[in-house]
Amino acid sequence: MELNFKIIVLMLGILFTGLTAGLCFTWSNAITPGIGRLDDYGFLQSFQAMNRAIINRSFLIVFFGPVILLILNAFLHRNAHPATFWSFIIAAMLFFVGIGLVTVFKNVPLNELLDNTVLEKASQIELADLRKTFEQPWNNWHTVRTVCSTISFILLLMGIIVNK
């Protein structure tokens, strides 16, 4: 197999989408259930610390890279087998909406609400209210991200299998 721009875009798209799906799956199945067992202050403090730590260059490249890579990949495969092309198009659209838009318009505003709260100065009632406002909506939108990134990953794999 000749390594060219088209193959590199496809490989990076699959890799980054798979890493994102894995991150979302792990977060949904280990992290949020684990910290969900903490009291309000412990939960909010833990989530706040993780949100602050995760915003770094490598995370941003891997998490948002597929938004561009998958669109470019679909374009580069526009003359491929129709099933491959449509698999890649649907993967790109699903990732863009389910990861890109959901993150920016749903999870990030909740993260900012949490980040802007000085937890040490909040009363128990304020902590309980913040958790109620934050936890379930964040988890619900994160489930959307988990499903969309996983389906996008599967569609990319299906696209390369059909193309063979």
Side-chain angles (χ1 to χ4, degrees):
M1 170 174 51
E2 178 186 333
L3 200 59
N4 58 37
F5 181 69
K6 184 176 176 179
I7 297 297
I8 291 169
V9 168
L10 174 61
M11 288 173 37
L12 288 175
I14 291 171
L15 175 63
F16 290 176
T17 302
L19 288 170
T20 298
L23 172 73
C24 289
F25 177 83
T26 301
W27 201 282
S28 293
N29 288 279
I31 296 171
T32 54
I35 66 171
R37 296 177 180 163
L38 298 172
D39 64 17
D40 294 338
Y41 180 74
F43 170 83
L44 295 168
Q45 185 183 40
S46 296
F47 220 108
Q48 196 178 64
M50 287 185 291
N51 281 342
R52 290 173 179 168
I54 202 167
I55 303 301
N56 60 68
R57 184 179 312 149
S58 59
F59 167 77
L60 293 172
I61 290 168
V62 168
F63 196 76
F64 288 110
V67 170
I68 296 165
L69 288 168
L70 298 187
I71 293 168
L72 181 57
N73 180 61
F75 174 77
L76 293 171
H77 286 88
R78 66 191 178 280
N79 296 322
H81 186 283
T84 295
F85 172 71
W86 284 105
S87 179
F88 289 168
I89 282 285
I90 294 167
M93 292 183 333
L94 198 54
F95 198 94
F96 176 75
V97 172
I99 292 290
L101 295 182
V102 167
T103 298
V104 169
F105 292 109
K106 297 299 181 179
N107 291 92
V108 168
L110 290 166
N111 291 346
E112 289 174 348
L113 171 67
L114 178 58
D115 191 54
N116 291 330
T117 303
V118 179
L119 299 175
E120 297 76 18
K121 293 184 179 181
S123 69
Q124 290 293 351
I125 293 171
E126 291 169 327
L127 292 172
D129 287 345
L130 177 58
R131 183 173 185 169
K132 185 177 180 181
T133 300
F134 177 85
E135 184 176 21
Q136 196 58 54
W138 195 98
N139 286 338
N140 290 343
W141 286 111
H142 184 70
T143 298
V144 171
R145 298 190 304 182
T146 303
V147 169
C148 289
S149 60
T150 302
I151 293 172
S152 291
F153 182 66
I154 291 167
L155 287 168
L156 290 170
L157 296 177
M158 288 173 50
I160 61 172
I161 291 169
V162 169
N163 202 38
K164 289 294 163 194

